[in-house]
């Protein structure tokens, strides 16, 4: 990647040299720095303050051993991480991911993205992320509990309701948050809002489960509306069948669209009649089985082994909601050829840089993750507020706030894109709008 700004060029080079092998982190930094070309020109004071060098270096990285015992008495050792990236505008906030692919580079990419996403919500939350290479798939509840308790035994030293508030991500849902919270409470003898995504019986917020998927659709609806379009009557392709995918599908349907695909890491289903969402919830949320089960009761639907083919499905709107780099340039080209008019990212960094470039060049409305999927963390921040006030808001109250926040995020992206002379480019708009607030706070707080 060549930068016009010598300053950004040097920062990028240093990031690559100082973080060897962390390719996802390089990708995330490069994408943000490209957008900041527009800003550093107007603000030479940032270079004098070493602002970008400080922004790309996490405030703290914790890596730790997580030993646990399986149901057969065998000892396993996983690796745990918490990256506390930036606390300029509030306590670190960001999810925990349990997946075998997790290593420091993935957590740093996610933590870096989180800084700008959290800033875009307008709420006082800094950026952080954590996780482990533990795979909850195929483990018993008891094994998952053993792991979570061991993980929290170390993590508890580094987090707190006013310091760092983790939540869920891939592989960390309501069950895992429950075990993690229980262990934190036991260790600290303290009932606090130290985690979000909690169950409703112990401090969770209504709408949190739905928030990322619903928020994604609220953002997409705003983006479509700005171009005189809407979800109504549209055919939608969604990848993934986890928390984000399921609730994106639910809201897209409520807004009048037909969702025709869902996937997991083994393959995808295509249902021309529209995905039967209660069945997907039963398979994935209750039975924890594979999406291939779907076709057993739906003879019209087809299961395809492997994930890439999902983007060959003809659609008006694509919502990638599984994982990073799941949608490449070839997939982008096929989507455009098949008439796709809008893509919004439910997952973090699901589109490769080449795919994003292709969408933007071909006039596809594109909602980048840090804006489009910010509804989850925004609602987590609303959960923190409710915990602090010892109050619980109704579903409709939280949903209304979420809607207002997502519409506000879209407007920030739109107006930053306009201000910097790239109307309709919500990638640059999101990066600049997210960056500006953090930059102002960092400049005000001195060299720390
Ligand atoms: P879940 O664990 O609930 O679901 C993940 C889904 O993606 C599953 O269907 C999973 O399939 C699939 N998947 C995971 N890894 C891969 C892979 N390597 N290749 C293909 N499919 C894969 O996670 P979430 O729904 O919470 O998260 C999905 C994405 O959304 C992530 O990128 C996450 O960072 C992002 N996100 C999540 C937020 C939240 O609130 N939960 C907030 C903002 C972003 P399988 O079951 O086979 O593993």
């Amino acid at each position: 990647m060549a930068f016009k700004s010598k300053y950004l060029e040097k920062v990028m080079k240093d990031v690559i040299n100082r973080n060897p092998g962390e390719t996802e982190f390089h990708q995330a930094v490069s994408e943000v720095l490209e957008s900041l070309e527009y800003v550093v020109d107007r603000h030479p004071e940032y270079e004098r303050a070493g602002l970008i060098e400080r922004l790309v270096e996490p405030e703290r990285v914790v890596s730790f051993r997580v030993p646990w015992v399986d149901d057969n008495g065998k000892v396993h050792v996983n690796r745990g991480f918490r990256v506390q990236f930036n606390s300029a505008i509030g306590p670190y906030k960001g999810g925990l991911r349990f997946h075998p692919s997790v290593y420091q580079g993935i957590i740093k990419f996610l933590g870096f993205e989180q800084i700008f996403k959290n800033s875009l919500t307008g709420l006082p939350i800094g950026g952080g992320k954590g996780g482990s290479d533990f795979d909850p798939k195929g483990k018993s509840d008891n094994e998952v509990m053993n792991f979570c308790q061991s993980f929290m035994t170390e993590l508890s030293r580094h987090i707190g309701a006013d310091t760092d508030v983790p939540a869920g991500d891939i592989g960390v849902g309501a069950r895992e948050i429950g075990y993690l919270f229980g262990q934190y409470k036991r260790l600290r003898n303290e009932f606090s809002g130290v985690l979000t995504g909690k169950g409703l019986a112990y401090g969770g917020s209504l709408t949190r489960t739905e928030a990322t998927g619903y928020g994604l659709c609220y953002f997409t609806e705003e983006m479509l509306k700005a171009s005189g379009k809407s979800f109504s009557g549209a055919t939608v392709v969604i990848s993934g069948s986890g928390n984000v995918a399921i609730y994106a599908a639910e809201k897209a349907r409520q807004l009048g669209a037909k969702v025709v695909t869902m996937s997991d890491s083994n393959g995808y289903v295509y249902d021309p009649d529209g995905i039967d969402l209660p069945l997907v919830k039963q398979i994935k949320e209750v039975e924890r089985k594979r999406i291939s089960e779907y076709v057993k009761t739906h003879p019209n639907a087809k299961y395809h082994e492997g994930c890439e083919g999902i983007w060959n499905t003809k659609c008006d709107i694509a919502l990638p909601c599984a994982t990073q780099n799941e949608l490449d340039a070839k997939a982008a080209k096929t989507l455009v050829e098949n008439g796709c008019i809008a893509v919004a990212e439910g997952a973090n960094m699901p589109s490769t840089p080449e795919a994003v470039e292709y969408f933007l060049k071909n006039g596809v409305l594109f909602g980048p993750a840090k804006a489009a999927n910010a509804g989850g963390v925004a609602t987590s921040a609303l959960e923190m507020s409710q915990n602090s006030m010892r109050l619980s808001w109704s579903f409709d109250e939280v949903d209304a706030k979420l809607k207002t926040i997502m519409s506000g995020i879209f407007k920030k992206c739109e107006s930053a894109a306009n201000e910097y002379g790239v109307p309709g480019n919500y990638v640059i708009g999101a990066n600049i709008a997210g960056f500006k607030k953090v930059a102002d706070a960092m400049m005000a707080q001195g060299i720390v």
Side-chain angles (χ1 to χ4, degrees):
M1 158 52 38
F3 288 90
K4 278 185 246 121
S5 151
K6 289 262 168 305
Y7 174 43
L8 293 177
E9 174 92 43
K10 178 168 182 323
V11 173
M12 190 66 233
K13 225 184 232 167
D14 286 349
V15 165
I16 292 169
N17 291 336
R18 287 160 63 95
N19 304 277
E22 297 182 352
T23 50
E24 296 84 358
F25 179 50
H26 303 166
Q27 183 181 334
V29 172
S30 159
E31 191 251 331
V32 169
L33 295 197
E34 262 179 62
S35 301
L36 297 189
E37 298 255 30
Y38 293 80
V39 183
V40 291
D41 255 10
R42 292 193 194 178
H43 293 277
E45 69 275 20
Y46 290 161
E47 182 170 1
R48 283 195 298 275
L51 186 88
I52 313 290
E53 292 93 319
R54 288 189 283 133
L55 190 68
V56 297
E57 187 68 24
E59 290 174 15
R60 190 172 300 103
V61 176
V62 188
S63 166
F64 51 96
R65 179 172 70 200
V66 191
W68 60 280
V69 183
D70 71 18
D71 291 344
N72 299 315
K74 187 172 176 334
V75 175
H76 297 261
V77 177
N78 284 99
R79 190 169 282 176
F81 300 98
R82 187 72 186 165
V83 173
Q84 298 180 328
F85 223 117
N86 193 298
S87 60
I89 63 171
Y92 310 105
K93 179 96 200 78
L96 298 171
R97 175 176 293 192
F98 292 169
H99 192 271
S101 62
V102 163
Y103 77 108
Q104 190 165 291
I106 289 207
I107 301 299
K108 273 161 74 175
F109 122 61
L110 291 164
F112 185 70
E113 287 279 295
Q114 199 79 47
I115 303 170
F116 310 99
K117 179 185 309 193
N118 293 3
S119 163
L120 279 170
T121 66
L123 300 167
I125 37 178
K129 198 84 189 188
S132 172
D133 55 4
F134 173 73
D135 188 359
K137 252 189 246 128
K139 306 287 192 300
S140 68
D141 285 352
N142 187 54
E143 289 172 330
V144 170
M145 183 179 73
N146 286 345
F147 173 82
C148 287
Q149 291 182 341
S150 180
F151 183 85
M152 182 51 87
T153 300
E154 174 61 31
L155 186 69
S156 64
R157 301 168 199 268
H158 310 286
I159 60 175
D162 293 316
T163 312
D164 182 355
V165 183
D169 190 77
I170 291 179
V172 179
R175 173 182 60 171
E176 289 76 15
I177 293 291
Y179 294 147
L180 292 163
F181 183 79
Q183 181 72 351
Y184 184 87
K185 185 164 62 65
R186 176 161 74 164
L187 291 165
R188 292 295 177 96
N189 190 24
E190 165 190 308
F191 195 111
S192 67
V194 68
L195 290 161
T196 57
K198 298 186 292 298
L200 294 178
Y202 61 95
S205 172
L206 284 160
T207 324
R208 176 61 189 90
T209 306
E210 294 83 358
T212 309
Y214 278 24
L216 172 67
C217 291
Y218 293 147
F219 180 94
T220 309
E221 187 74 342
E222 288 289 326
M223 183 170 78
L224 290 164
K225 202 165 77 188
S227 295
K229 302 182 173 95
S230 90
F231 266 111
S232 181
T235 298
V236 179
V237 160
I238 294 184
S239 65
S241 53
N243 174 260
V244 180
I246 286 177
Y247 292 96
E250 186 165 289
K251 184 51 73 178
R253 225 172 45 177
Q254 287 171 13
L255 293 169
K258 178 159 88 168
V259 177
V260 292
T261 63
M262 293 195 89
S263 67
D264 61 23
S265 51
N266 292 101
Y268 71 96
V269 285
Y270 168 68
D271 189 340
D273 302 330
I275 289 285
D276 174 352
L277 208 51
L279 175 63
V280 174
K281 285 186 184 176
Q282 177 66 23
I283 296 172
K284 302 305 285 189
E285 292 183 338
V286 181
E287 297 167 12
R288 296 183 187 274
K289 287 192 175 153
R290 311 312 298 157
I291 197 76
S292 55
E293 295 286 313
Y294 184 95
V295 293
K296 286 188 181 161
T297 50
H298 286 65
N300 260 355
K302 229 176 140 38
Y303 174 71
H304 301 263
E305 197 65 30
C307 302
E308 313 80 49
I310 196 169
W311 309 118
N312 298 334
T313 314
K314 192 170 162 42
C315 65
D316 304 302
I317 298 167
L319 304 175
C321 294
T323 194
Q324 65 272 1
N325 293 327
E326 55 167 312
L327 197 168
D328 62 11
K330 186 165 156 263
K333 197 159 175 280
T334 310
L335 281 167
V336 172
E337 276 166 10
N338 284 337
C340 176
I341 55 157
V343 176
E345 299 185 313
N348 283 312
M349 208 166 75
S351 318
T352 64
E354 297 77 23
V356 177
E357 199 184 327
Y358 194 84
F359 289 137
L360 293 175
K361 277 203 177 129
N362 286 278
V364 173
L365 298 169
F366 183 78
K370 61 173 73 70
N373 74 20
V377 74
T379 308
S380 275
L382 299 178
E383 183 174 331
M384 288 164 72
S385 303
Q386 292 169 79
N387 292 163
S388 298
M389 295 188 291
R390 305 274 192 257
L391 280 178
S392 298
W393 296 330
S394 70
F395 186 96
D396 288 346
E397 226 171 328
V398 182
D399 190 37
K401 288 187 202 302
L402 170 64
K403 214 168 181 175
T404 306
I405 290 169
M406 295 315 293
S407 147
I409 292 176
F410 175 73
K411 292 206 167 71
K412 282 179 204 165
C413 297
E414 189 184 38
S415 75
N418 288 340
E419 186 189 338
Y420 284 85
V422 282
N425 188 328
Y426 306 126
V427 174
I428 293 177
N431 285 335
I432 293 180
F435 166 79
K436 283 298 287 282
K437 182 177 175 190
V438 177
D440 288 349
M442 287 177 74
M443 291 300 281
Q445 291 170 22
I447 309 298
V448 289

